[in-house]
Amino acid sequence: MGSVLVSWGTALPEKVVTNHDLASYLDTSDQWVTERTGIRERRIGGSTASLSVEASQRALERVGLAGSDIDLIVLSTTTADQMVPGTSADVSAQLGTRGGAMDINAACAGFVYALVVANGMLGPNTPRALVIGADTLSRITDWDDRSTAVLFADGAGAVVLEYREGPGNLLGWDLGVDGSARRFLYCDHGSTLKMEGREVFRKAVRAVVDSCEKVLSSAGLKASDIALCVPHQANIRIIEAANERLGIPMERTAVVLDRTGNTSSGSVPLALADAADAGRINEGDLVLMCGFGAGMTWSSAILRWGS
Ligand code: COA
């Protein structure tokens, strides 16, 4: 049993915050942020549920589906709108979905975690799932801390997965966590994100490369077989460093962080949808998605595009 990805949709808040906007009150500059991160602007606003619903509605509309056609919601977020209930419950109510709904928190690696969970749950009695990656990091960012304020933002992406007889299109995955690295990136209740950027950078490159090599090898593939790499959108230098080690050229990589900043769970589906909308993915193409985040978590998966 397996699944295929049949649709996608995204949502970004209307409010654009540029590096110049941040430099108007922080000791930073557009040049510093662009050179060190690749980020030029980001979107701020909305709730995790509202962005999730908007992205999901677009994904459903693309293929003429309604909320009532969905049997399962797996929502990856690290910024749930409240402690209880899960944000996925609000999203389910607004979309009118059937079946179960759950939140998953694996930080910025979460979307691929959610994809793997949904893929494993689909079957004849649960034929269609919405997998959502949504975060509103602006709500846990200290806007007076230049080392984090320039990075984090809000956004969401959603995909529809459908059950298929046979092995499906998710060809392999690798999920991991190293909880001993918690101190490098965390946010306690009622607080804001704390980060040791340099250490996160180093560990992220290593984790992404190891995880991608593992998933390629488990699927019997080489980096040259990958038509498009869709990495977590945290920092263009992390993407370039990992790609160089993996042997994946930037021309075969999806990048939206210049416009979105780091949207955590929203990052991979936003980049995937951007590439799909631009016609950069063709039927049968192999797509490598990978992420890393607080935990420290990491995840990668290989998806064959098309039905
Ligand atoms: N504007 C200007 N200067 C800044 C700055 C900013 N926004 N943020 C930090 N600096 C300063 C530092 O204070 C430091 O000054 P010092 O040398 O006087 O101490 C200097 O720039 C260099 O800092 P450093 O941390 O070495 O820079 P860097 O090249 O590592 O870039 C990050 C910093 C945060 C951009 C980078 O480490 C990074 O992206 N790390 C990963 C973060 C991440 O992806 N987090 C999310 C994971 S899901």
Side-chain angles (χ1 to χ4, degrees):
M1 293 190 291
S3 66
V4 297
L5 190 158
V6 297
S7 189
W8 59 91
T10 61
L12 287 168
E14 269 178 31
K15 184 177 178 188
V16 178
V17 176
T18 66
N19 293 343
H20 292 290
D21 294 332
L22 296 177
S24 70
Y25 76 98
L26 278 176
D27 182 14
T28 190
S29 65
D30 174 53
Q31 187 184 357
W32 192 96
V33 181
T34 306
E35 284 177 7
R36 300 289 181 114
T37 71
I39 299 167
R40 292 179 184 278
E41 61 185 41
R42 71 285 289 143
R43 301 293 190 97
I44 301 297
S47 67
T48 298
S50 68
L51 293 171
S52 296
V53 168
E54 203 181 319
S56 300
Q57 280 169 337
R58 294 208 170 109
L60 293 171
E61 279 162 16
R62 272 190 83 258
V63 285
L65 293 172
S68 55
D69 296 314
I70 295 296
D71 309 288
L72 170 71
I73 292 180
V74 184
L75 167 57
S76 166
T77 186
T78 200
T79 47
D81 288 333
Q82 62 275 315
M83 293 275 289
V84 178
T87 302
S88 52
D90 296 331
V91 174
S92 169
Q94 290 184 52
L95 294 173
T97 62
R98 302 181 300 210
M102 70 178 99
D103 290 13
I104 283 192
N105 181 350
C108 301
F111 179 74
V112 171
Y113 269 74
L115 206 60
V116 171
V117 167
N119 180 69
M121 291 180 70
L122 288 182
N125 298 322
T126 310
R128 211 177 272 127
L130 256 179
V131 181
I132 306 166
D135 265 302
T136 44
L137 290 181
S138 68
R139 298 189 300 180
I140 57 167
T141 298
D142 177 354
W143 289 99
D144 292 322
D145 172 9
R146 69 176 183 175
S147 67
T148 51
V150 300
L151 301 177
F152 300 124
D154 307 334
V159 301
V160 178
L161 285 192
E162 268 182 17
Y163 164 74
R164 286 284 192 279
E165 290 280 350
N169 279 358
L170 203 57
L171 306 187
W173 59 84
D174 175 62
L175 309 179
V177 63
D178 172 11
S180 71
R182 175 194 196 276
R183 66 187 181 282
F184 299 121
L185 180 56
Y186 64 94
C187 176
D188 290 324
H189 280 302
S191 185
T192 50
L193 284 160
K194 306 285 183 291
M195 183 182 75
E196 283 186 37
R198 246 175 273 186
E199 200 53 40
V200 172
F201 192 115
R202 250 199 310 267
K203 286 183 178 299
V205 174
R206 204 175 311 142
V208 166
V209 171
D210 287 353
S211 184
C212 288
E213 283 178 345
K214 215 183 271 182
V215 78
L216 282 167
S217 147
S218 73
L221 297 166
K222 301 183 295 298
S224 54
D225 296 321
I226 298 299
L228 187 77
C229 176
V230 185
H232 171 43
Q233 310 284 308
N235 183 322
I236 193 71
R237 289 161 52 221
I238 294 178
I239 296 174
E240 286 168 350
N243 273 22
E244 193 184 325
R245 286 165 178 75
L246 288 164
I248 298 178
M250 289 303 287
E251 305 84 71
R252 286 197 270 125
T253 301
V255 175
V256 293
L257 60 79
D258 51 318
R259 291 160 275 156
T260 64
N262 180 347
T263 57
S264 192
S265 292
S267 146
V268 166
L270 278 167
L272 181 72
D274 186 73
D277 288 338
R280 292 180 66 195
I281 323 179
N282 300 307
E283 178 86 16
D285 276 355
L286 296 181
V287 177
L288 170 64
M289 293 170 279
C290 50
F292 61 90
M296 180 177 192
T297 54
W298 57 86
S299 59
S300 54
I302 298 174
L303 179 80
R304 190 188 300 284
W305 196 253
S307 52

